[in-house]
Amino acid sequence: MASSTTPSDDAEETIAESSEPESALETARRQLEYAAEYVDIDPSIVERLRHPKKVHEVTVPIERDDGSVEVFTGYRAQHDSVRGPYKGGLRYHPDVTRDECVGLGMWMTWKCAVMDLPFGGAKGGIAVDPKALSDDEKERLTRRFAQEMRPAIGPTLDIPAPDMGTDPQTMAWLMDAYSMQEGETIPGVVTGKPPIVGGSEGRDEAPGRSVAIIAREVIDYYDKDIKETSVAVQGYGSVGANAARLLDDWGANVVAVSDVNGGVYDTNGLDTRSIPSHHEEHEGVLRHDAPETVTNDELLELDVDVLIPAAIGNVLTESNADDIQADIIVEGANGPTTIAADAIFAERDIPVIPDIIANAGGVTVSYFEWLQDINRRSWSLERVNEELETEMVEAWNTIRETFESRDVTWREATYIVALTRIAAAHEARGLWP
Ligand code: GLU
């Protein structure tokens, strides 16, 4: 695991290219190609979907606190908007590249389609180490990026959200800079804002909540009793900690959790609320008392019923896939499983529930936030959580029906659902010659 990991503030606790040569774009393209074989889809649409519609690249100069000027590069890859405005996170990380944004933007297109949200897919980022910047510098960086990207984003055009290395405060600055330039307050230009400026209740916890809901459904599908189910969670940021705590509340036995430094392990079950999440205490997991500690690699190989990789990308690879002992894998991070590992799990009959459904609660509550911004009316936390539960179970049931009626993996079933909707929309709208 890369030691430079910045635990994320959102679904994407991912460094998609850190540990393996397989890039997010390669993985995303190959997944598209595999899935397209199962869908009656015009090959020209698949060819179109292999590419982004547009990629914006901007230079972002900022004045550092010592008066010097530093220049960063920012991107916004807009993959597909056939079903609605582009939607997806904005990440600050040194490994951000154009291609990584394109790959992650493709996953957003599928994620929004799986959830049947009226959005397309995008992803942006700045190649910068946010830990090396003061808060003032981060604010200047975000405002300058907003200014450079102003023509490319907007509440009906492209709506950024938090991702790795960014958080609700980043979204508040982005919204403010955009609004100042437009001359009016436009909350709907970003989601994942603090509730006081038009953000939604429950948005922060939503990706972890959806991971827990999907884990609960799959546990039930395989006729296990959640009260007799052991769970290991890699990553204790917003996704991992919220998923672990909810599953714990619902009776599951969460036996191991970890952060970038390693994990704690107790076969009798951990008290997940007393272990600090990344937001409560940075890298605090190992300071919690537990009978045993494990490395991140060891955690992945524990003999548990459910494994939830919710930290970074490419952690389940050809080199450890044969040693994974979990009965079920639920992807909390984006892209935790390489193509080669996926094939090994299929061969070994280990169900892998893909990221684009499991952590889709983040973008789903982003959609709720966008609706609240348009209507200028906020929802209660209870309403957000209830509607999220309904949307997740509905999406899960559609995927389950596809899984049962076709001889495919869970990932393929999920892609079939997404791709069928996207292809139908492209066919209905047509190609403007
Ligand atoms: N970054 C999150 C994801 O990968 C959320 C995107 C959004 O809410 O637009 O799903």
Side-chain angles (χ1 to χ4, degrees), residues 59-313:
T59 297
V60 193
I62 61 156
E63 191 178 322
R64 299 296 302 256
D65 291 342
D66 65 4
S68 64
V69 170
E70 199 161 341
V71 177
F72 299 96
T73 306
Y75 306 91
R76 186 73 182 167
Q78 298 173 328
H79 174 246
D80 186 73
S81 65
V82 73
R83 291 169 46 87
Y86 299 106
K87 186 83 192 81
L90 173 70
R91 63 173 47 181
Y92 291 174
H93 191 278
D95 293 346
V96 165
T97 61
R98 178 193 182 279
D99 276 4
E100 189 195 54
C101 292
V102 174
L104 292 161
M106 287 172 77
W107 283 330
M108 286 310 304
T109 303
W110 321 142
K111 203 181 280 190
C112 293
V114 164
M115 294 308 302
D116 213 359
L117 306 176
F119 288 138
K123 185 74 61 161
I126 303 179
V128 60
D129 179 2
K131 285 192 277 190
L133 299 181
S134 69
D135 282 351
D136 287 346
E137 290 169 335
K138 263 189 276 190
E139 178 172 354
R140 289 198 285 276
L141 183 79
T142 305
R143 288 183 181 280
R144 185 61 192 254
F145 179 78
Q147 187 177 340
E148 299 299 335
M149 282 293 172
R150 180 183 174 191
I153 59 174
T156 56
L157 178 57
D158 184 351
I159 307 135
D163 203 281
M164 205 166 71
T166 60
D167 59 17
Q169 178 60 70
T170 321
M171 294 304 117
W173 290 325
L174 192 46
M175 184 276 249
D176 185 67
Y178 181 84
S179 297
M180 298 305 276
Q181 292 167 59
E182 293 293 314
E184 57 182 316
T185 297
I186 305 177
V189 65
V190 293
T191 57
K193 304 174 288 295
I196 191 72
V197 287
S200 179
E201 297 297 338
R203 172 62 184 78
D204 273 356
E205 306 83 54
R209 178 170 284 271
S210 71
V211 168
I213 293 170
I214 294 300
R216 185 196 67 204
E217 293 299 311
V218 68
I219 287 166
D220 186 55
Y221 182 82
Y222 285 103
D223 287 330
K224 291 176 191 279
D225 178 353
I226 194 163
K227 297 203 163 60
E228 281 158 27
T229 299
S230 57
V231 181
V233 181
Q234 184 186 51
Y236 216 57
S238 125
V239 184
N242 282 305
R245 287 173 181 175
L246 272 174
L247 288 167
D248 191 6
D249 289 348
W250 296 337
N253 198 25
V254 179
V255 294
V257 303
S258 68
D259 63 20
V260 64
N261 299 320
V264 286
Y265 180 44
D266 185 347
T267 47
N268 292 319
L270 297 161
D271 176 7
T272 54
R273 287 191 194 270
S274 68
I275 304 172
S277 73
H278 178 71
H279 302 276
E280 290 155 2
E281 184 187 329
H282 282 207
E283 298 176 14
V285 167
L286 285 184
R287 284 194 279 275
H288 181 83
D289 245 0
E292 277 180 70
T293 58
V294 284
T295 64
N296 266 297
D297 289 342
E298 287 164 352
L299 180 139
L300 295 172
E301 294 174 16
L302 289 175
D303 187 4
V304 288
D305 296 308
V306 179
L307 171 65
I308 302 180
I312 59 170

